[in-house]
Amino acid sequence: IGFFSGSLMCRKRWRACFESADQHVQEALREVPLVQGHGRGDWAVGVNGGRWLHSFCVDDLGMRRCHYDEFQGGHNIPDVVADRFVALLADLVAGVQSDPSSG
């Protein structure tokens, strides 16, 4: 999954959907790789929204393979974030179990 300049909305709804899912589905979601990036100077979607989204994925949902890049910039996707996401996609297509949180 890639979240770029994203924010958390409807936290209660997302949590309820997750909690209503079968235990097997919950565990599978916790293993989905996530690359997230957010600019500290984002005027369109404030950086706190990105921090909340990351915290929700890690702390509330228990996702274990999350990488969060907070960068100097605005509402854009810098090369480092795009490259990390492209590498994740390439690994998935190749059948490699990459972990974006380790890079």
Side-chain angles (χ1 to χ4, degrees), residues 65-77:
R65 299 174 62 200
C66 299
H67 181 85
Y68 177 73
D69 275 309
E70 192 171 290
F71 53 89
Q72 195 65 19
H75 195 72
N76 63 314
I77 304 171

Side-chain angles (χ1 to χ4, degrees), residues 74-95:
H75 195 72
N76 63 314
I77 304 171
D79 290 346
V80 66
V81 176
D83 291 346
R84 186 180 307 277
F85 186 64
V86 168
L88 170 67
L89 292 177
D91 286 350
L92 290 172
V93 168

Side-chain angles (χ1 to χ4, degrees), residues 2-100:
F3 294 149
F4 309 109
S5 293
S7 184
L8 178 60
M9 298 178 72
C10 305
R11 173 184 230 125
K12 289 180 184 178
R13 176 76 177 127
W14 282 109
R15 185 180 293 121
C17 288
F18 179 79
E19 290 172 352
S20 69
D22 179 90
Q23 190 67 29
H24 176 73
V25 173
Q26 289 181 18
E27 274 307 308
L29 179 63
R30 289 183 177 113
E31 294 302 324
V32 170
L34 168 64
V35 173
Q36 183 184 359
H38 210 112
R40 286 187 283 283
D42 189 336
W43 51 267
V45 180
V47 70
N48 282 338
R51 292 172 184 157
W52 295 330
L53 178 58
H54 178 70
S55 174
F56 178 75
C57 291
V58 173
D59 299 333
D60 292 29
L61 301 184
M63 294 178 73
R64 297 185 266 276
R65 299 174 62 200
C66 299
H67 181 85
Y68 177 73
D69 275 309
E70 192 171 290
F71 53 89
Q72 195 65 19
H75 195 72
N76 63 314
I77 304 171
D79 290 346
V80 66
V81 176
D83 291 346
R84 186 180 307 277
F85 186 64
V86 168
L88 170 67
L89 292 177
D91 286 350
L92 290 172
V93 168
V96 176
Q97 289 290 326
S98 67
D99 185 350

